[in-house]
Amino acid sequence: MSSFKLASELPAWKKLQATYDSVGEKFSVKDEFSKDSSRFETFSRTFENYDGSKILFDFSKNLVNKEILDQLIELAKEAGVEKLRDEMFAGDHINTTEDRAVYHVALRNRALKKMPVDGKDTAKEVDDVLQHMKEFSDEVRSGKWTGYTGKAITDVVNVGIGGSDLGPVMVTEALKAYAQPGLNVHFVSNIDGTHIAETLKNLNAETTLFLIASKTFTTAETITNANSAKSWFLEHAKDKAHIAKHFAALSTNEKEVAKFGIDTKNMFEFNDWVGGRYSVWSAIGLSVAIYIGYDNFEAFLKGAEAVDQHFLTTPLEQNIPVLGGLLSVWYNNFYGAQTHLVAPFDQYLHRFPAYLQQLSMESNGKSVTRANVYTNYQTGTILFGEPATNAQHSFFQLVHQGTKLIPADFILAAQSHNPIENNLHQRMLASNFFAQAEALMVGKSTEQVKAEGATGGLVPHKEFSGNRPTTSILAQKITPANLGALIAYYEHVTFTEGAVWNINSFDQWGVELGKVLAKVIGKELDDKTKVETHDASTRGLINQFKEWSI
């Protein structure tokens, strides 16, 4: 697509609009299944990971037929999804507003292929950091690395925010089954003092290791929390020389790292072509490597690498992330759906939706195209979710019978890490996974409700319209490799959406304004003097806060 074109100007977009106007509201997935006995096979794709494990993506319950899917594929081609994808993998500066490459895919290049940026190959540089992470994580896990009193490390505290927190939190939770007994990880991100105070409350300074995750080592929230952690540590250790045994840095600012007291040998670097929300594959994943072991961390990388190769080389018609992204565009821009539900039927994945919120909404929460003009169509969806079956007892009511169309992804592993009670729990979980997707599709008619004995005014309350789309994602097991694959799938779904909408999915200027204003207001809160600046509301709130705060 010409970078000057709005997506809505493309012929395929106009064709899709005409198709929606003709059949969209009348389209029935249930009828499509009746007409086509092979619909499941036609609209499902199976991804085989590098280790032979598989993930099934069932798109058959979505509001599409072959004609619509063909038109969506045509849209992807006209929008230049393939061209932009190839440019990303070539290390081109597709982050145009910051003039940077977008090269998180190079972080999982375990085949060590040549992947240059600005004429410099990244393969060795990335591998060197990974080998440093391996050495460090092995020492901590084995007990070879000891604290200032000679005791082994029992607790690792990652201090970061945004991508330096959400990724490691989610992955360590998701892969808790692979953790080393007796080695715990904790995460501090919120500037609210409660977060670090509660985290440190039950820790022993002699056996605690802090990882300070900040690329610039100047992120206000992270450095404030890091300094509080250092103060707590020195209350116990007394000697600043001991900081080197208990603090490591995930950063590129050697000067500030050294000034903090961290031995720069324990600094793990990553590049400016790694966006925060794509950084769990980098040195930011050190807490993960320590927690689950480097071999498992590398399997995590390889699983993502396998999806990268699928995304890069598979024709669009069979390309799993492309299909996921195009379905999102179909619902967002033609059906007017504003949200997207991700419900993992897996307690270990309880932070997965929160991680995907940043990935999706920070990436595609844009209203200006790469040609610097405002869009005349909706872009990023509001992504939300919680693990099922809890979610069924909170917001699924709205998904089933509410007035909004909410496309949903359901995720399940066939094999549980905890097959207790002769696997009864997993069978009950699976029964809900299958039943919820089926119920959302088929609904319940007036006739069925009446046949069940409902009468009068109660009948409409018990009806379900059905025809509510879901994508079912069934993994054999949530292993490090398959988790890596799932994350990479959603990364490339997000990429596909942004490419179609012709927006830059890789900057985040919307995060900056609040930060700038917070710095100004922060100085005004240093004393009790009433402020006279700002709008009347903000001024009134600040002055009331000053009066009430201790």
Side-chain angles (χ1 to χ4, degrees):
M1 172 168 78
S2 164
S3 61
F4 295 100
K5 280 227 176 192
L6 290 165
S8 56
E9 296 173 358
L10 298 172
W13 185 286
K14 295 174 181 176
K15 193 183 292 184
L16 279 161
Q17 186 62 59
T19 298
Y20 174 79
D21 291 343
S22 172
V23 303
E25 292 301 322
K26 296 177 285 187
F27 189 91
S28 166
V29 180
K30 199 160 58 167
D31 289 349
E32 293 297 318
F33 272 102
S34 297
K35 290 189 288 187
D36 181 5
S37 60
S38 63
R39 180 176 170 84
F40 171 72
E41 290 76 16
T42 302
F43 291 94
S44 294
R45 304 287 184 272
T46 300
F47 169 74
E48 184 168 341
N49 215 327
Y50 82 95
D51 60 358
S53 60
K54 294 177 181 179
I55 305 175
L56 171 64
F57 293 80
D58 174 19
F59 298 114
S60 66
K61 291 189 180 76
N62 282 283
L63 307 180
V64 291
N65 54 23
K66 189 176 184 307
E67 179 191 2
I68 293 168
L69 195 60
D70 287 346
Q71 290 178 10
L72 286 167
I73 296 294
E74 189 59 34
L75 177 64
K77 290 177 178 176
E78 290 182 9
V81 171
E82 293 160 297
K83 180 176 182 291
L84 191 66
R85 173 200 65 192
D86 294 347
E87 288 171 349
M88 177 174 74
F89 277 85
D92 294 350
H93 287 208
I94 66 168
N95 179 351
T96 51
T97 62
E98 297 177 299
D99 193 23
R100 291 178 183 169
V102 175
Y103 226 29
H104 48 276
V105 292
L107 296 171
R108 52 243 193 174
N109 173 25
R110 299 319 298 140
L112 300 179
K113 297 176 182 176
K114 281 193 174 181
M115 296 187 75
V117 169
D118 301 325
K120 182 182 177 184
D121 188 32
T122 60
K124 184 179 186 306
E125 183 180 6
V126 167
D127 191 57
D128 284 348
V129 173
L130 286 172
Q131 296 313 312
H132 188 193
M133 292 169 66
K134 180 182 190 308
E135 178 187 17
F136 187 84
S137 60
D138 284 351
E139 286 195 354
V140 173
R141 287 169 62 83
S142 69
K144 184 178 177 182
W145 182 284
T146 59
Y148 70 98
T149 61
K151 294 179 181 177
I153 298 299
T154 59
D155 293 270
V156 177
V157 181
N158 187 92
V159 181
I161 198 167
S164 299
D165 172 78
L166 281 166
V169 168
M170 182 274 289
V171 175
T172 52
E173 285 296 303
L175 299 178
K176 189 175 281 189
Y178 296 85
Q180 177 172 300
L183 186 58
N184 307 301
V185 288
H186 313 268
F187 295 88
V188 174
S189 57
N190 201 331
I191 194 60
D192 183 345
T194 298
H195 201 179
I196 192 160
E198 286 292 336
T199 301
L200 297 177
K201 199 175 278 185
N202 297 314
L203 298 185
N204 180 350
E206 296 176 57
T207 58
T208 299
L209 173 68
F210 293 93
L211 307 178
I212 312 302
S214 171
K215 186 187 293 186
T216 61
F217 223 74
T218 58
T219 308
E221 298 95 335
T222 299
I223 298 309
T224 300
N225 277 327
N227 281 318
S228 296
K230 182 165 72 170
S231 296
W232 172 85
F233 174 74
L234 289 174
E235 282 176 20
H236 298 85
K238 310 302 181 186
D239 189 346
K240 288 183 179 180
H242 295 324
I243 290 172
K245 297 289 287 180
H246 290 266
F247 284 79
L250 319 178
S251 179
T252 56
N253 192 337
E254 189 171 326
K255 182 180 175 184
E256 287 299 318
V257 168
K259 184 177 169 185
F260 186 90
I262 294 173
D263 187 339
T264 54
K265 287 188 295 186
N266 301 322
M267 186 176 96
F268 298 80
E269 297 190 60
F270 52 106
N271 300 83
D272 66 0
W273 39 257
V274 181
R277 56 193 174 277
Y278 300 96
S279 64
V280 71
W281 320 101
S282 71
I284 292 297
L286 182 59
S287 58
V288 179
I290 292 172
Y291 191 54
I292 66 173
Y294 180 80
D295 288 348
N296 283 321
F297 184 73
E298 186 163 52
F300 172 67
L301 298 178
K302 286 181 176 179
E305 180 186 30
V307 170
D308 291 341
Q309 291 309 303
H310 170 89
F311 181 58
L312 180 63
T313 63
T314 306
L316 297 187
E317 294 79 4
Q318 301 299 323
N319 198 306
I320 298 170
V322 169
L323 295 176
L326 291 174
L327 286 169
S328 177
V329 170
W330 178 231
Y331 296 128
N332 189 42
N333 296 106
F334 300 94
Y335 276 88
Q338 294 188 327
T339 62
H340 188 98
L341 165 63
V342 177
F345 284 68
D346 190 308
Q347 186 59 31
Y348 282 132
L349 292 177
H350 70 105
R351 295 296 291 164
F352 195 50
Y355 173 80
L356 295 181
Q357 283 178 333
Q358 185 193 23
L359 171 62
S360 177
M361 293 197 282
E362 192 168 84
S363 294
N364 288 339
K366 315 289 169 59
S367 55
V368 178
T369 70
R370 288 183 290 142
N372 311 320
V373 296
Y374 285 95
T375 66
N376 59 3
Y377 43 83
Q378 294 289 311
T379 57
T381 56
I382 300 164
L383 191 147
F384 73 104
E386 285 288 330
T389 54
N390 280 20
Q392 294 169 202
H393 295 269
S394 58
F395 53 76
F396 268 44
Q397 170 64 40
L398 179 65
V399 183
H400 277 283
Q401 288 186 304
T403 57
K404 295 173 173 60
L405 180 73
I406 303 176
D409 294 353
F410 292 167
I411 304 170
L412 175 73
Q415 298 170 31
S416 172
H417 286 286
N418 299 289
I420 60 176
E421 300 291 338
N422 196 27
N423 216 29
L424 171 63
H425 289 261
Q426 192 68 4
R427 293 197 303 277
M428 288 180 67
L429 186 68
S431 68
N432 281 276
F433 171 82
F434 301 126
Q436 288 292 336
E438 184 177 41
L440 285 165
M441 182 187 77
V442 302
K444 185 181 280 189
S445 67
T446 302
E447 292 72 23
Q448 287 173 300
V449 173
K450 288 180 176 178
E452 291 175 356
T455 58
L458 192 58
V459 172
H461 293 279
K462 292 197 168 188
E463 290 175 357
F464 292 76
S465 66
N467 214 41
R468 308 216 171 191
T470 57
T471 295
S472 296
I473 302 173
L474 179 63
Q476 284 182 293
K477 194 172 188 176
I478 301 300
T479 60
N482 281 339
L483 180 66
L486 282 173
I487 298 171
Y489 163 76
Y490 279 102
E491 285 180 354
H492 298 319
V493 164
T494 303
F495 175 96
T496 300
E497 294 170 335
V500 170
W501 292 326
N502 197 19
I503 57 177
N504 180 5
S505 299
F506 306 105
D507 59 14
Q508 54 278 335
W509 299 107
V511 178
E512 300 302 318
L513 179 59
K515 285 184 176 181
V516 172
L517 292 177
K519 285 182 181 178
V520 174
I521 294 172
K523 292 176 183 175
E524 295 173 337
L525 297 180
D526 287 341
D527 58 50
K528 289 286 187 179
T529 308
K530 281 196 171 186
V531 299
E532 301 296 335
T533 52
H534 305 288
D535 63 272
S537 170
T538 305
R539 182 169 62 247
L541 287 165
I542 290 172
N543 288 330
Q544 187 64 79
F545 173 83
K546 286 190 169 199
E547 184 181 324
W548 284 350
S549 65
I550 297 171

